[in-house]
mmCIF file of all heavy atoms in Angstrom:
data_model
loop_
_atom_site.group_PDB
_atom_site.id
_atom_site.type_symbol
_atom_site.label_atom_id
_atom_site.label_comp_id
_atom_site.label_asym_id
_atom_site.label_seq_id
_atom_site.Cartn_x
_atom_site.Cartn_y
_atom_site.Cartn_z
ATOM 1 N N SER A 14 139.173 116.819 87.486
ATOM 2 C CA SER A 14 140.518 116.694 87.974
ATOM 3 C C SER A 14 141.277 115.710 87.111
ATOM 4 O O SER A 14 140.726 114.949 86.404
ATOM 5 C CB SER A 14 140.537 116.190 89.450
ATOM 6 O OG SER A 14 140.104 114.852 89.471
ATOM 7 N N THR A 15 142.628 115.798 87.190
ATOM 8 C CA THR A 15 143.455 114.821 86.473
ATOM 9 C C THR A 15 143.766 113.678 87.420
ATOM 10 O O THR A 15 144.617 113.746 88.317
ATOM 11 C CB THR A 15 144.759 115.534 86.002
ATOM 12 O OG1 THR A 15 144.404 116.677 85.276
ATOM 13 C CG2 THR A 15 145.591 114.576 85.144
ATOM 14 N N LYS A 16 143.000 112.604 87.251
ATOM 15 C CA LYS A 16 143.137 111.424 88.143
ATOM 16 C C LYS A 16 144.367 110.634 87.819
ATOM 17 O O LYS A 16 144.690 110.414 86.667
ATOM 18 C CB LYS A 16 141.900 110.562 88.027
ATOM 19 C CG LYS A 16 140.611 111.195 88.499
ATOM 20 C CD LYS A 16 139.418 110.285 88.300
ATOM 21 C CE LYS A 16 138.143 111.053 88.662
ATOM 22 N NZ LYS A 16 136.960 110.263 88.467
ATOM 23 N N VAL A 17 145.020 110.149 88.868
ATOM 24 C CA VAL A 17 146.168 109.235 88.636
ATOM 25 C C VAL A 17 145.900 107.871 89.251
ATOM 26 O O VAL A 17 146.502 106.904 88.846
ATOM 27 C CB VAL A 17 147.507 109.801 89.179
ATOM 28 C CG1 VAL A 17 147.856 111.085 88.459
ATOM 29 C CG2 VAL A 17 147.477 110.067 90.658
ATOM 30 N N TYR A 18 144.963 107.773 90.182
ATOM 31 C CA TYR A 18 144.601 106.476 90.760
ATOM 32 C C TYR A 18 143.214 106.599 91.408
ATOM 33 O O TYR A 18 142.906 107.639 92.009
ATOM 34 C CB TYR A 18 145.575 105.996 91.837
ATOM 35 C CG TYR A 18 145.166 104.707 92.464
ATOM 36 C CD1 TYR A 18 145.362 103.517 91.825
ATOM 37 C CD2 TYR A 18 144.438 104.707 93.690
ATOM 38 C CE1 TYR A 18 144.880 102.339 92.368
ATOM 39 C CE2 TYR A 18 143.974 103.533 94.213
ATOM 40 C CZ TYR A 18 144.199 102.332 93.550
ATOM 41 O OH TYR A 18 143.707 101.173 94.095
ATOM 42 N N GLU A 19 142.425 105.549 91.305
ATOM 43 C CA GLU A 19 141.092 105.589 91.949
ATOM 44 C C GLU A 19 140.688 104.121 92.271
ATOM 45 O O GLU A 19 140.919 103.213 91.486
ATOM 46 C CB GLU A 19 140.058 106.175 90.998
ATOM 47 C CG GLU A 19 138.680 106.255 91.612
ATOM 48 C CD GLU A 19 137.684 107.067 90.759
ATOM 49 O OE1 GLU A 19 137.938 107.189 89.557
ATOM 50 O OE2 GLU A 19 136.676 107.519 91.354
ATOM 51 N N ASP A 20 140.134 103.986 93.466
ATOM 52 C CA ASP A 20 139.449 102.681 93.742
ATOM 53 C C ASP A 20 138.193 103.067 94.564
ATOM 54 O O ASP A 20 137.817 104.243 94.631
ATOM 55 C CB ASP A 20 140.371 101.689 94.435
ATOM 56 C CG ASP A 20 140.906 102.121 95.783
ATOM 57 O OD1 ASP A 20 140.246 102.983 96.459
ATOM 58 O OD2 ASP A 20 142.030 101.724 96.172
ATOM 59 N N GLU A 21 137.572 102.060 95.209
ATOM 60 C CA GLU A 21 136.305 102.357 95.874
ATOM 61 C C GLU A 21 136.462 103.274 97.105
ATOM 62 O O GLU A 21 135.519 103.978 97.471
ATOM 63 C CB GLU A 21 135.547 101.072 96.249
ATOM 64 C CG GLU A 21 136.201 100.169 97.268
ATOM 65 C CD GLU A 21 137.365 99.328 96.721
ATOM 66 O OE1 GLU A 21 137.600 99.350 95.509
ATOM 67 O OE2 GLU A 21 138.033 98.650 97.539
ATOM 68 N N LYS A 22 137.640 103.326 97.684
ATOM 69 C CA LYS A 22 137.852 104.063 98.916
ATOM 70 C C LYS A 22 138.581 105.394 98.710
ATOM 71 O O LYS A 22 138.420 106.316 99.511
ATOM 72 C CB LYS A 22 138.672 103.258 99.916
ATOM 73 C CG LYS A 22 137.904 102.140 100.586
ATOM 74 C CD LYS A 22 138.778 101.568 101.667
ATOM 75 C CE LYS A 22 138.135 100.316 102.239
ATOM 76 N NZ LYS A 22 139.154 99.430 102.870
ATOM 77 N N ILE A 23 139.491 105.454 97.768
ATOM 78 C CA ILE A 23 140.378 106.622 97.617
ATOM 79 C C ILE A 23 140.486 107.146 96.223
ATOM 80 O O ILE A 23 140.239 106.448 95.252
ATOM 81 C CB ILE A 23 141.805 106.297 98.191
ATOM 82 C CG1 ILE A 23 142.611 105.389 97.224
ATOM 83 C CG2 ILE A 23 141.717 105.629 99.575
ATOM 84 C CD1 ILE A 23 144.045 105.188 97.661
ATOM 85 N N LEU A 24 140.939 108.397 96.110
ATOM 86 C CA LEU A 24 141.200 109.032 94.790
ATOM 87 C C LEU A 24 142.525 109.787 94.936
ATOM 88 O O LEU A 24 142.760 110.475 95.901
ATOM 89 C CB LEU A 24 140.078 110.005 94.456
ATOM 90 C CG LEU A 24 140.226 110.816 93.173
ATOM 91 C CD1 LEU A 24 140.205 109.950 91.952
ATOM 92 C CD2 LEU A 24 139.131 111.893 93.067
ATOM 93 N N ALA A 25 143.307 109.663 93.861
ATOM 94 C CA ALA A 25 144.562 110.468 93.765
ATOM 95 C C ALA A 25 144.473 111.247 92.485
ATOM 96 O O ALA A 25 144.105 110.757 91.398
ATOM 97 C CB ALA A 25 145.781 109.536 93.739
ATOM 98 N N PHE A 26 144.788 112.553 92.556
ATOM 99 C CA PHE A 26 144.700 113.466 91.385
ATOM 100 C C PHE A 26 145.773 114.528 91.500
ATOM 101 O O PHE A 26 146.322 114.758 92.566
ATOM 102 C CB PHE A 26 143.312 114.099 91.299
ATOM 103 C CG PHE A 26 142.857 114.838 92.524
ATOM 104 C CD1 PHE A 26 143.036 116.217 92.649
ATOM 105 C CD2 PHE A 26 142.287 114.180 93.602
ATOM 106 C CE1 PHE A 26 142.632 116.909 93.781
ATOM 107 C CE2 PHE A 26 141.839 114.851 94.724
ATOM 108 C CZ PHE A 26 142.018 116.195 94.829
ATOM 109 N N ARG A 27 146.089 115.123 90.379
ATOM 110 C CA ARG A 27 147.180 116.143 90.323
ATOM 111 C C ARG A 27 146.748 117.475 90.985
ATOM 112 O O ARG A 27 145.645 117.934 90.717
ATOM 113 C CB ARG A 27 147.651 116.359 88.910
ATOM 114 C CG ARG A 27 148.277 115.104 88.334
ATOM 115 C CD ARG A 27 149.086 115.318 87.077
ATOM 116 N NE ARG A 27 149.467 114.008 86.568
ATOM 117 C CZ ARG A 27 150.405 113.195 87.030
ATOM 118 N NH1 ARG A 27 151.172 113.596 88.013
ATOM 119 N NH2 ARG A 27 150.623 112.011 86.474
ATOM 120 N N ASP A 28 147.642 118.045 91.788
ATOM 121 C CA ASP A 28 147.387 119.318 92.386
ATOM 122 C C ASP A 28 147.307 120.378 91.275
ATOM 123 O O ASP A 28 148.115 120.356 90.335
ATOM 124 C CB ASP A 28 148.494 119.679 93.390
ATOM 125 C CG ASP A 28 148.090 120.791 94.304
ATOM 126 O OD1 ASP A 28 147.953 121.980 93.815
ATOM 127 O OD2 ASP A 28 147.904 120.565 95.509
ATOM 128 N N ILE A 29 146.353 121.292 91.408
ATOM 129 C CA ILE A 29 146.143 122.318 90.356
ATOM 130 C C ILE A 29 147.303 123.351 90.339
ATOM 131 O O ILE A 29 147.528 123.966 89.349
ATOM 132 C CB ILE A 29 144.769 123.012 90.622
ATOM 133 C CG1 ILE A 29 144.214 123.610 89.344
ATOM 134 C CG2 ILE A 29 144.853 124.035 91.700
ATOM 135 C CD1 ILE A 29 142.741 124.029 89.474
ATOM 136 N N ASN A 30 148.029 123.424 91.465
ATOM 137 C CA ASN A 30 149.101 124.400 91.551
ATOM 138 C C ASN A 30 150.359 123.663 92.054
ATOM 139 O O ASN A 30 150.783 123.833 93.204
ATOM 140 C CB ASN A 30 148.679 125.518 92.504
ATOM 141 C CG ASN A 30 149.740 126.598 92.668
ATOM 142 O OD1 ASN A 30 150.532 126.802 91.746
ATOM 143 N ND2 ASN A 30 149.747 127.223 93.836
ATOM 144 N N PRO A 31 150.949 122.848 91.191
ATOM 145 C CA PRO A 31 152.029 121.959 91.640
ATOM 146 C C PRO A 31 153.253 122.691 92.199
ATOM 147 O O PRO A 31 153.693 123.673 91.639
ATOM 148 C CB PRO A 31 152.421 121.147 90.379
ATOM 149 C CG PRO A 31 151.837 121.932 89.231
ATOM 150 C CD PRO A 31 150.678 122.692 89.757
ATOM 151 N N GLN A 32 153.761 122.162 93.308
ATOM 152 C CA GLN A 32 154.938 122.748 93.950
ATOM 153 C C GLN A 32 156.188 121.914 93.771
ATOM 154 O O GLN A 32 157.231 122.142 94.364
ATOM 155 C CB GLN A 32 154.673 122.932 95.471
ATOM 156 C CG GLN A 32 153.535 123.937 95.656
ATOM 157 C CD GLN A 32 153.312 124.340 97.111
ATOM 158 O OE1 GLN A 32 154.222 124.350 97.896
ATOM 159 N NE2 GLN A 32 152.074 124.644 97.417
ATOM 160 N N ALA A 33 156.076 120.896 92.881
ATOM 161 C CA ALA A 33 157.213 120.040 92.555
ATOM 162 C C ALA A 33 156.817 119.375 91.191
ATOM 163 O O ALA A 33 155.636 119.391 90.819
ATOM 164 C CB ALA A 33 157.451 119.005 93.644
ATOM 165 N N PRO A 34 157.780 118.795 90.470
ATOM 166 C CA PRO A 34 157.424 118.163 89.183
ATOM 167 C C PRO A 34 156.304 117.152 89.351
ATOM 168 O O PRO A 34 155.444 117.011 88.464
ATOM 169 C CB PRO A 34 158.755 117.523 88.764
ATOM 170 C CG PRO A 34 159.793 118.407 89.378
ATOM 171 C CD PRO A 34 159.232 118.814 90.732
ATOM 172 N N THR A 35 156.319 116.376 90.424
ATOM 173 C CA THR A 35 155.152 115.514 90.766
ATOM 174 C C THR A 35 154.488 116.135 92.023
ATOM 175 O O THR A 35 155.225 116.272 93.081
ATOM 176 C CB THR A 35 155.589 114.069 91.051
ATOM 177 O OG1 THR A 35 155.936 113.478 89.809
ATOM 178 C CG2 THR A 35 154.403 113.265 91.657
ATOM 179 N N HIS A 36 153.273 116.477 91.907
ATOM 180 C CA HIS A 36 152.532 116.939 93.121
ATOM 181 C C HIS A 36 151.089 116.384 92.985
ATOM 182 O O HIS A 36 150.272 116.853 92.206
ATOM 183 C CB HIS A 36 152.474 118.459 93.179
ATOM 184 C CG HIS A 36 151.881 119.004 94.451
ATOM 185 N ND1 HIS A 36 151.977 120.323 94.805
ATOM 186 C CD2 HIS A 36 151.205 118.391 95.448
ATOM 187 C CE1 HIS A 36 151.353 120.506 95.993
ATOM 188 N NE2 HIS A 36 150.894 119.355 96.386
ATOM 189 N N ILE A 37 150.856 115.318 93.762
ATOM 190 C CA ILE A 37 149.612 114.573 93.715
ATOM 191 C C ILE A 37 148.939 114.705 95.063
ATOM 192 O O ILE A 37 149.606 114.697 96.107
ATOM 193 C CB ILE A 37 149.887 113.088 93.325
ATOM 194 C CG1 ILE A 37 150.329 112.999 91.866
ATOM 195 C CG2 ILE A 37 148.704 112.199 93.586
ATOM 196 C CD1 ILE A 37 150.912 111.655 91.475
ATOM 197 N N LEU A 38 147.622 114.801 95.040
ATOM 198 C CA LEU A 38 146.821 114.803 96.264
ATOM 199 C C LEU A 38 146.077 113.455 96.358
ATOM 200 O O LEU A 38 145.505 113.004 95.381
ATOM 201 C CB LEU A 38 145.809 115.959 96.232
ATOM 202 C CG LEU A 38 146.361 117.371 96.078
ATOM 203 C CD1 LEU A 38 145.235 118.382 95.882
ATOM 204 C CD2 LEU A 38 147.222 117.739 97.292
ATOM 205 N N ILE A 39 146.187 112.860 97.506
ATOM 206 C CA ILE A 39 145.520 111.556 97.738
ATOM 207 C C ILE A 39 144.475 111.760 98.834
ATOM 208 O O ILE A 39 144.818 112.224 99.920
ATOM 209 C CB ILE A 39 146.481 110.443 98.080
ATOM 210 C CG1 ILE A 39 147.751 110.497 97.230
ATOM 211 C CG2 ILE A 39 145.815 109.072 97.985
ATOM 212 C CD1 ILE A 39 148.854 109.568 97.630
ATOM 213 N N VAL A 40 143.230 111.458 98.481
ATOM 214 C CA VAL A 40 142.104 111.723 99.449
ATOM 215 C C VAL A 40 141.276 110.504 99.652
ATOM 216 O O VAL A 40 141.084 109.671 98.752
ATOM 217 C CB VAL A 40 141.230 112.894 98.934
ATOM 218 C CG1 VAL A 40 142.047 114.118 98.560
ATOM 219 C CG2 VAL A 40 140.393 112.458 97.715
ATOM 220 N N PRO A 41 140.648 110.391 100.861
ATOM 221 C CA PRO A 41 139.600 109.398 101.035
ATOM 222 C C PRO A 41 138.360 109.890 100.328
ATOM 223 O O PRO A 41 138.083 111.098 100.274
ATOM 224 C CB PRO A 41 139.373 109.367 102.559
ATOM 225 C CG PRO A 41 139.840 110.717 103.035
ATOM 226 C CD PRO A 41 140.885 111.227 102.092
ATOM 227 N N LYS A 42 137.573 108.963 99.762
ATOM 228 C CA LYS A 42 136.323 109.383 99.143
ATOM 229 C C LYS A 42 135.306 109.846 100.146
ATOM 230 O O LYS A 42 134.558 110.747 99.933
ATOM 231 C CB LYS A 42 135.757 108.244 98.293
ATOM 232 C CG LYS A 42 136.590 107.996 97.027
ATOM 233 C CD LYS A 42 135.920 107.044 96.063
ATOM 234 C CE LYS A 42 136.565 107.137 94.699
ATOM 235 N NZ LYS A 42 136.011 106.181 93.717
ATOM 236 N N GLU A 43 135.391 109.231 101.312
ATOM 237 C CA GLU A 43 134.577 109.612 102.498
ATOM 238 C C GLU A 43 135.053 111.013 102.970
ATOM 239 O O GLU A 43 136.277 111.199 103.071
ATOM 240 C CB GLU A 43 134.722 108.562 103.528
ATOM 241 C CG GLU A 43 134.145 108.861 104.865
ATOM 242 C CD GLU A 43 134.664 107.918 105.991
ATOM 243 O OE1 GLU A 43 135.457 106.977 105.664
ATOM 244 O OE2 GLU A 43 134.240 108.079 107.135
ATOM 245 N N HIS A 44 134.167 111.886 103.330
ATOM 246 C CA HIS A 44 134.607 113.180 103.841
ATOM 247 C C HIS A 44 135.106 113.063 105.291
ATOM 248 O O HIS A 44 134.343 112.697 106.166
ATOM 249 C CB HIS A 44 133.473 114.218 103.804
ATOM 250 C CG HIS A 44 133.939 115.526 104.334
ATOM 251 N ND1 HIS A 44 134.546 116.472 103.537
ATOM 252 C CD2 HIS A 44 133.897 116.048 105.589
ATOM 253 C CE1 HIS A 44 134.869 117.535 104.290
ATOM 254 N NE2 HIS A 44 134.482 117.290 105.551
ATOM 255 N N ILE A 45 136.429 113.324 105.472
ATOM 256 C CA ILE A 45 136.988 113.448 106.814
ATOM 257 C C ILE A 45 137.706 114.832 106.729
ATOM 258 O O ILE A 45 138.400 115.118 105.743
ATOM 259 C CB ILE A 45 138.051 112.351 107.039
ATOM 260 C CG1 ILE A 45 137.399 110.944 106.978
ATOM 261 C CG2 ILE A 45 138.756 112.538 108.389
ATOM 262 C CD1 ILE A 45 138.397 109.762 106.996
ATOM 263 N N SER A 46 137.441 115.696 107.725
ATOM 264 C CA SER A 46 137.852 117.058 107.590
ATOM 265 C C SER A 46 139.360 117.271 107.611
ATOM 266 O O SER A 46 139.905 118.145 106.898
ATOM 267 C CB SER A 46 137.251 117.916 108.743
ATOM 268 O OG SER A 46 135.821 117.855 108.647
#
Side-chain angles (χ1 to χ4, degrees):
S14 68
T15 307
K16 294 178 185 178
V17 299
Y18 176 80
E19 182 172 20
D20 63 28
E21 65 283 354
K22 286 188 188 156
I23 74 173
L24 175 67
F26 55 96
R27 296 197 188 281
D28 196 292
I29 205 168
N30 182 27
Q32 296 187 31
T35 290
H36 188 169
I37 290 168
L38 301 172
I39 316 173
V40 308
K42 289 190 165 178
E43 170 194 1
H44 181 85
I45 300 171
S46 299

